[in-house]
Amino acid sequence: MTVSRRTVLAGGVAIGASAAMPAALAAAPTGDCERWGIHEIALDGPGRGNPFDDVTLEAVFESGGRQIRVPGFYDGDGVYRIRFSPPDTGAWVWRTASNAPALDNRSGRFACIAPRAGNHGPVRVSKDGYHFVHADGTPFRQIGTTSYSWALQSDAKCAETLATLKGGPFNKMRMLVFPNVPSVATDPFVRTGAALDAWDPTRFDPAYFRRFEDRIRRLGALGIEADVILFHPYDEKRGYSDMKRADDARYIRYVAARFGAFRNVWWSMANEYDNIKTKTMADWDHLFGVLVAADPHDRLRSIHQINTYYDHRKPWITHASVQNGAAVLDDLRAELHRAMTLKPVVFDEVVYEGNSTKRWGSLTGQEMVQRFWHGLIGGTYVGHSETFDPDQNADRSWLGQGGRLVGTSAPRLKFLREIMEDGPAPGIDAIQPWWNYHLAGIPNAYYLKYFGSESPTEWRVALPGRGPAAAQRYRIDVIDTWNMTISPVAGVFAMSQLNDYDVHDPARPTVALPGRQWMALRLRKV
Amino acid sequence: MTVSRRTVLAGGVAIGASAAMPAALAAAPTGDCERWGIHEIALDGPGRGNPFDDVTLEAVFESGGRQIRVPGFYDGDGVYRIRFSPPDTGAWVWRTASNAPALDNRSGRFACIAPRAGNHGPVRVSKDGYHFVHADGTPFRQIGTTSYSWALQSDAKCAETLATLKGGPFNKMRMLVFPNVPSVATDPFVRTGAALDAWDPTRFDPAYFRRFEDRIRRLGALGIEADVILFHPYDEKRGYSDMKRADDARYIRYVAARFGAFRNVWWSMANEYDNIKTKTMADWDHLFGVLVAADPHDRLRSIHQINTYYDHRKPWITHASVQNGAAVLDDLRAELHRAMTLKPVVFDEVVYEGNSTKRWGSLTGQEMVQRFWHGLIGGTYVGHSETFDPDQNADRSWLGQGGRLVGTSAPRLKFLREIMEDGPAPGIDAIQPWWNYHLAGIPNAYYLKYFGSESPTEWRVALPGRGPAAAQRYRIDVIDTWNMTISPVAGVFAMSQLNDYDVHDPARPTVALPGRQWMALRLRKV
């Protein structure tokens, strides 16, 4: 039995050492790994029996007194892998533990070096609790999209999807592990017969997961987060979401060990969890416990509903993932989700842009963009998708398989993202939502106002605030969110007290608006 | 030491039996108690030391194999009481346990008879989980008000408050145990000096609590629920909400034993809990545990916030009590509170009607009533109060001390309550809130539509629904919620399919509206 040198998948370093080598040599440094990259260890081990069930493997990584226990996984053909994404630079040492002698007590070390350009680290919840930042402090301004089974399509189709994403607005992709529409890859488990549900939940097909992680890696190269959805209710005939608890847990541990080291991974426990009738709330809570224990990289975790909101206050949830068709038609509805979860809120599904005769797939581009703006003014984030297909077949649309975008919202979402990135970090909050101002920003510094489907010809410039801190001078930009123009208003608005609650400029009480829909205002302190 | 015969306070029966009596005699029936009334046992016991801390007392009541353990309390002058509200008719027996020999192992029995007219039993959460019903099945349509310290005013002032309440719209009163404004009763604990905070948390003043429960009883006689608020942040100088945990727990146990048997009691753990800076979230959770254990009558339980929403999904919370100035300006904002708590929602504070220069006390009557209607359309409930005072002194207003109402909302809230009571039981729900219909009711049977501050001249009559079940015939009433008129529209609207989602009457696609504010429509299946 030897330890083989293996190609690593993403910024990691392969380990080469023979089993007969003395420990000192085996522990010699074997290459550098950038911070938040992947240091992957590949080891040859038992290939008989059922390695997924029979063999335990983990490694403890240590640096500066900090120990991190990382589970390994079986990748087929007698090869076992352990993937670790080092959270800090410096010298790391590791040692394995396994019930297989060939995999046990192996050790090594490596240097974790500074991240390369463009590597900002994984996304975390911001200190204020309501936004997202990369580990290096770079704000992450979520503009999501969904293409459920894009990762399971042919390489050519996936390349088309990636080309669409490149340079577009989207920095998070929601994607199912298990297929929901016609796909090239359909078998995450080893088949045992011809029937759709003839497969062995105890034996994964490594090629299926290798393909999936290739898609994760390619998204990462574009700076796009992969929101990996572990279960969903749309495969009744295959039954991947109707496994027993022990099978669910094995699957979660496998996926966590394989995918969790990729710094762009987020976990979505399920899509429309409450439509999976074979699982109870207790099952979901249990599976979150499994995921937390299986994921030393502590990636973001949420779960998505159709009818019954999951309790996103539960401690294992990092952010609220919400499906709601009407909540982001009003910034204050959106904001209430923050008020009630005390966490960042992503409206991952707000019905789709498309040409469907179904109401869930027939938004105009304007209506799609409108939802992002209302969400933003509520201090929350929104997700896009579209269902255009000449034959009304949503399966074949961007939503199902990816490919090209047909809709008109994407450029406007890119325009929006630029405005977000030009704004305060890590994000903006609703201003005094209790008092119905419909304003977002940072008090006494930066404000956004969005008029949605209204067509006002002016806005009375009044900002909540009192005292010297509120007596600021602002420049105002009139933003056409659809035509993507930013028109500065000449001069400055010098605020003074209007009443007990608001400031205004008595010399300029209003600002003119063009009487069109989809307008916004930006006020920035001079 | 003898057991004295005592007058009972509310529908109960006093127990008379000498300590020397044989058990069989002591256990003789001593009178009837109506179901959900109070059977009160009064016993003479130790009066020295600190009976509140030194003496334990409880009784176990048993009927038909069901046992209920009921804590007793010390009422001063050597008298101990145990109050029990029997949940079922039939023969009940009881036996005490105490560390004081005079109070220990006493026993008795009584018959629980059918409730008298007007006694519908305590209010519980309805089976559907979002409304309220009395124990006998009578719906409870909450139209609340708040008068924080009314119960602590003079008997004359309290009589004025009760006269105001009698025949008015309000069926729930929020009231503080500890005073927040100038009051006749200010000392729940025995004073130890002249300073405001010179009192002994281990010694209650029974007279203070006797006065308070008299107010609870008088509300009950008017059919009004007493929403008893245990802590609040407005008494910094006295410090009643800044006690130690053990003192808080003793207080909760005392209040639960004294007040909990009154069938019209609800518990609000705190007003603006998050403004009580001496307690943490862990403290509040702990105190709910104390309350649950101390209250065998299992009265409704909630807690009210200023900024940080308490997690009303926690299992000890029976309904969400919410303060929000803007949520009930939109029925779908209101509905989201149900979606996120999965419980009945009462917006107990939505800012007040009044003449205050402060924005929290300056709603017009129309604006106050508007909030109730939006809440209703969201499937939730709302609370009123008012702050009129010639000198802008809110302490002296209805909100602080009770007395007379000056505002104009109350008659309109009574009109609203009649509409609610005339509608489906136990209440109505938002119809397809996800799709922004702004309709409430029972699908294919009953609908309410509210136009708030808009002034439409017609409404396009379209109801969500599909298939034969939706093809109903409706009569429509035009409701002026401010002028309190109900105008039936002549004829019938016969629904047929309009599109995939809605039905309408092709012969009568619209209904005329008068172009005024505060209008509503009611559609009832013929």
Side-chain angles (χ1 to χ4, degrees):
Chain A
M1 191 80 53
T2 59
V3 179
S4 315
R5 185 176 299 272
R6 297 271 167 193
T7 306
V8 294
L9 294 177
V13 172
I15 300 301
S18 117
M21 255 183 218
L25 187 55
T30 49
D32 296 339
C33 172
E34 66 176 327
R35 190 179 184 191
W36 306 308
I38 296 181
H39 183 82
E40 176 169 309
I41 301 163
L43 301 168
D44 281 348
R48 278 168 302 196
N50 183 349
F52 299 107
D53 261 357
D54 303 341
V55 178
T56 64
L57 173 63
E58 65 176 44
V60 173
F61 292 79
E62 182 170 348
S63 178
R66 179 179 184 182
Q67 288 194 332
I68 302 176
R69 182 193 151 282
V70 181
F73 66 94
Y74 182 58
D75 199 23
D77 299 325
V79 177
Y80 293 76
R81 298 184 193 277
I82 300 165
R83 291 179 178 160
F84 174 56
S85 183
D88 290 302
T89 56
W92 287 84
V93 297
W94 56 267
R95 182 171 299 274
T96 66
S98 173
N99 62 354
L103 301 171
D104 188 44
N105 207 27
R106 311 307 303 264
S107 63
R109 57 190 169 104
F110 68 95
C112 175
I113 60 175
R116 286 195 280 262
N119 171 359
H120 300 294
V123 174
R124 305 295 191 200
V125 173
S126 63
K127 275 190 192 141
D128 66 28
Y130 293 105
H131 299 284
F132 298 105
V133 291
H134 288 275
D136 76 349
T138 305
F140 174 74
R141 326 275 190 159
Q142 199 270 179
I143 299 279
T145 188
T146 296
S147 182
Y148 282 130
S149 291
W150 84 276
L152 308 176
Q153 309 306 310
S154 68
D155 287 351
K157 180 82 172 187
C158 285
E160 189 186 7
T161 304
L162 291 162
T164 300
L165 290 169
K166 188 175 179 178
F170 304 114
N171 54 18
K172 179 165 78 68
M173 169 64 97
R174 298 176 66 241
M175 50 202 279
L176 306 173
V177 176
F178 299 136
N180 76 322
V181 300
S183 299
V184 170
T186 58
D187 293 306
F189 301 98
V190 173
R191 299 201 60 77
T192 55
L196 279 176
D197 62 351
W199 44 270
D200 180 352
T202 73
R203 291 177 183 272
F204 303 99
D205 178 355
Y208 185 95
F209 293 88
R210 216 172 286 133
R211 170 193 291 263
F212 198 89
E213 71 205 15
D214 170 72
R215 308 322 191 206
I216 293 174
R217 187 177 54 78
R218 289 175 192 272
L219 287 177
L222 296 177
I224 298 172
E225 304 295 303
D227 201 349
V228 177
I229 302 170
L230 301 179
F231 297 96
H232 68 80
Y234 321 115
D235 68 356
E236 305 88 358
K237 292 176 187 164
R238 297 178 182 272
Y240 298 136
S241 292
D242 305 322
M243 296 188 289
K244 295 191 177 71
R245 251 197 196 191
D247 297 332
D248 288 338
R250 184 192 303 101
Y251 159 64
I252 287 175
R253 286 193 294 265
Y254 192 70
V255 169
R258 280 204 81 115
F259 301 161
F262 292 91
R263 65 176 172 268
N264 62 323
V265 161
W266 301 27
W267 304 118
S268 178
M269 180 60 79
N271 214 62
E272 298 188 351
Y273 83 90
D274 46 334
N275 264 350
I276 299 175
K277 302 305 181 190
T278 51
K279 295 196 199 322
T280 65
M281 193 65 86
D283 288 328
W284 294 116
D285 292 352
H286 171 78
L287 293 178
F288 271 111
V290 172
L291 177 59
V292 168
D295 173 24
H297 297 99
D298 197 28
R299 299 302 181 216
L300 294 173
R301 287 177 299 271
S302 195
I303 185 168
H304 162 281
Q305 103 299 346
I306 170 71
N307 291 309
T308 305
Y309 274 62
Y310 188 84
D311 182 359
H312 287 126
R313 285 229 197 171
K314 287 179 175 171
W316 44 80
I317 298 291
T318 55
H319 63 286
S321 171
V322 175
Q323 177 175 198
N324 194 308
V328 279
L329 288 174
D330 173 57
D331 52 289
L332 293 172
R333 293 182 204 157
E335 192 277 336
L336 283 168
H337 289 71
R338 284 180 37 154
M340 278 189 267
T341 64
L342 305 182
K343 290 181 185 169
V345 174
V346 184
F347 292 95
D348 273 312
E349 200 169 338
V350 297
V351 313
Y352 311 122
E353 190 178 359
N355 66 345
S356 174
T357 58
K358 302 294 180 191
R359 58 184 173 181
W360 52 261
S362 59
L363 294 185
T364 64
Q366 286 89 339
E367 290 168 336
M368 184 84 248
V369 175
Q370 176 190 16
R371 283 157 170 76
F372 276 78
W373 273 89
H374 283 307
L376 174 66
I377 305 298
T380 67
Y381 299 92
V382 181
H384 153 281
S385 195
E386 65 163 51
T387 60
F388 289 96
D389 183 80
D391 303 320
Q392 293 275 326
N393 184 339
D395 288 358
R396 285 204 302 253
S397 70
W398 175 263
L399 175 67
Q401 297 179 331
R404 287 181 303 112
L405 285 169
V406 177
T408 53
S409 64
R412 282 77 185 188
L413 298 178
K414 189 167 184 189
F415 175 75
L416 167 62
R417 182 171 156 186
E418 288 163 2
I419 288 174
M420 292 164 74
E421 290 176 346
D422 203 32
I428 58 175
D429 304 315
I431 303 285
Q432 296 196 20
W434 239 78
W435 297 104
N436 229 26
Y437 277 97
H438 298 286
L439 273 178
I442 304 294
N444 306 321
Y446 178 99
Y447 298 88
L448 282 179
K449 174 89 184 165
Y450 177 61
F451 298 96
S453 59
E454 296 169 27
S455 306
T457 55
E458 66 171 28
W459 184 62
R460 187 171 151 269
V461 182
L463 299 174
R466 195 151 31 181
Q472 303 293 345
R473 291 153 53 84
Y474 293 90
R475 290 195 187 278
I476 299 184
D477 297 312
V478 177
I479 300 174
D480 185 325
T481 69
W482 186 252
N483 293 307
M484 298 179 279
T485 59
I486 300 177
S487 308
V489 176
V492 163
F493 290 74
M495 297 292 155
S496 63
Q497 207 69 43
L498 168 64
N499 56 33
D500 268 4
Y501 301 106
D502 294 339
V503 293
H504 77 150
D505 182 346
R508 306 187 75 181
T510 64
V511 61
L513 286 159
R516 289 196 302 277
Q517 291 185 307
W518 324 123
M519 302 303 297
L521 291 174
R522 179 171 62 186
L523 293 83
R524 289 187 289 188
K525 187 173 79 167
V526 176
Chain B
M1 189 81 52
T2 58
V3 178
S4 317
R5 185 174 299 273
R6 297 270 168 193
T7 306
V8 294
L9 294 176
V13 171
I15 300 301
S18 116
M21 253 182 221
L25 186 55
T30 48
D32 296 340
C33 173
E34 66 175 327
R35 190 180 185 192
W36 307 308
I38 296 181
H39 183 83
E40 176 170 309
I41 301 164
L43 301 167
D44 282 347
R48 278 167 302 195
N50 183 349
F52 300 107
D53 261 358
D54 301 343
V55 178
T56 64
L57 174 64
E58 65 177 42
V60 174
F61 291 80
E62 182 170 349
S63 178
R66 179 179 185 184
Q67 289 194 331
I68 301 175
R69 182 194 151 281
V70 181
F73 65 94
Y74 182 59
D75 198 24
D77 298 326
V79 178
Y80 294 76
R81 299 183 192 277
I82 300 165
R83 291 179 177 161
F84 174 56
S85 183
D88 290 303
T89 55
W92 287 85
V93 297
W94 56 266
R95 183 172 296 276
T96 65
S98 173
N99 62 355
L103 301 171
D104 188 44
N105 206 29
R106 311 309 301 266
S107 63
R109 58 191 170 104
F110 68 95
C112 176
I113 59 175
R116 286 195 279 263
N119 172 0
H120 300 293
V123 175
R124 305 296 191 198
V125 173
S126 63
K127 275 189 192 142
D128 66 28
Y130 293 106
H131 300 284
F132 299 104
V133 290
H134 289 276
D136 75 349
T138 305
F140 174 73
R141 326 275 191 158
Q142 199 270 176
I143 299 278
T145 188
T146 297
S147 182
Y148 283 130
S149 291
W150 84 276
L152 309 177
Q153 307 307 310
S154 68
D155 287 351
K157 180 83 173 188
C158 284
E160 189 185 10
T161 303
L162 290 162
T164 299
L165 290 169
K166 188 174 179 178
F170 304 114
N171 55 17
K172 179 164 77 69
M173 169 64 96
R174 299 175 66 241
M175 50 202 277
L176 306 173
V177 177
F178 299 136
N180 76 323
V181 299
S183 299
V184 169
T186 57
D187 294 305
F189 301 98
V190 172
R191 299 202 58 79
T192 56
L196 280 176
D197 63 351
W199 43 270
D200 179 353
T202 72
R203 291 177 183 271
F204 303 99
D205 178 354
Y208 185 95
F209 293 89
R210 215 173 287 132
R211 168 193 292 263
F212 198 88
E213 71 205 15
D214 170 72
R215 309 321 192 206
I216 292 174
R217 188 177 54 77
R218 290 175 191 272
L219 288 176
L222 296 177
I224 297 172
E225 304 295 302
D227 201 349
V228 177
I229 303 170
L230 302 180
F231 296 95
H232 69 79
Y234 321 115
D235 68 355
E236 304 89 356
K237 292 177 186 162
R238 296 178 183 273
Y240 297 135
S241 292
D242 305 322
M243 295 188 290
K244 294 191 178 71
R245 253 198 194 190
D247 297 330
D248 289 336
R250 184 191 304 102
Y251 160 64
I252 287 175
R253 286 193 294 265
Y254 191 71
V255 169
R258 280 204 82 116
F259 301 161
F262 292 91
R263 64 176 172 269
N264 63 324
V265 161
W266 300 26
W267 304 119
S268 178
M269 182 59 79
N271 213 64
E272 298 188 351
Y273 83 89
D274 46 334
N275 264 351
I276 299 176
K277 302 306 182 191
T278 51
K279 295 197 197 322
T280 65
M281 192 65 86
D283 288 328
W284 295 115
D285 293 352
H286 171 78
L287 293 178
F288 272 110
V290 172
L291 177 59
V292 168
D295 173 24
H297 297 98
D298 197 27
R299 300 301 180 216
L300 295 172
R301 288 177 296 270
S302 195
I303 185 169
H304 161 282
Q305 102 300 346
I306 170 70
N307 291 309
T308 304
Y309 274 62
Y310 188 83
D311 182 0
H312 287 126
R313 285 228 197 170
K314 287 179 176 171
W316 43 81
I317 298 291
T318 55
H319 63 288
S321 171
V322 175
Q323 178 175 198
N324 194 306
V328 279
L329 288 175
D330 172 57
D331 51 290
L332 294 171
R333 292 182 203 157
E335 193 277 336
L336 283 168
H337 290 72
R338 284 179 37 154
M340 278 189 266
T341 64
L342 305 181
K343 290 181 184 169
V345 175
V346 185
F347 291 95
D348 274 311
E349 199 169 337
V350 296
V351 314
Y352 311 121
E353 189 178 359
N355 67 344
S356 174
T357 58
K358 301 295 179 190
R359 58 183 173 181
W360 52 261
S362 59
L363 294 184
T364 64
Q366 286 89 340
E367 290 168 336
M368 184 84 248
V369 175
Q370 176 190 16
R371 282 156 171 76
F372 277 77
W373 273 89
H374 283 306
L376 174 66
I377 304 299
T380 67
Y381 300 92
V382 180
H384 153 281
S385 195
E386 64 164 52
T387 60
F388 289 95
D389 184 82
D391 304 320
Q392 293 276 325
N393 184 340
D395 287 358
R396 286 203 301 254
S397 71
W398 175 263
L399 175 66
Q401 296 178 332
R404 289 181 302 111
L405 284 169
V406 177
T408 54
S409 64
R412 282 78 187 188
L413 298 179
K414 190 167 184 190
F415 175 74
L416 167 62
R417 183 170 156 188
E418 288 161 3
I419 288 173
M420 292 164 74
E421 289 175 347
D422 203 31
I428 57 175
D429 305 314
I431 303 285
Q432 297 197 20
W434 238 78
W435 298 104
N436 227 28
Y437 278 97
H438 297 287
L439 274 177
I442 304 294
N444 305 323
Y446 178 99
Y447 297 88
L448 283 179
K449 173 89 184 166
Y450 177 61
F451 298 96
S453 59
E454 295 169 27
S455 306
T457 55
E458 64 171 28
W459 183 62
R460 187 172 150 269
V461 182
L463 299 174
R466 192 148 34 178
Q472 303 293 343
R473 293 153 52 84
Y474 293 89
R475 291 195 187 277
I476 300 184
D477 296 312
V478 177
I479 300 174
D480 185 325
T481 68
W482 185 252
N483 293 308
M484 298 178 280
T485 60
I486 300 178
S487 309
V489 176
V492 163
F493 290 73
M495 296 291 156
S496 63
Q497 207 68 43
L498 168 65
N499 55 34
D500 268 5
Y501 301 105
D502 294 339
V503 294
H504 78 151
D505 182 346
R508 305 186 76 180
T510 63
V511 61
L513 286 161
R516 291 196 302 276
Q517 290 184 307
W518 323 122
M519 302 304 296
L521 291 174
R522 179 170 61 185
L523 292 83
R524 288 186 291 187
K525 188 172 77 168
V526 177

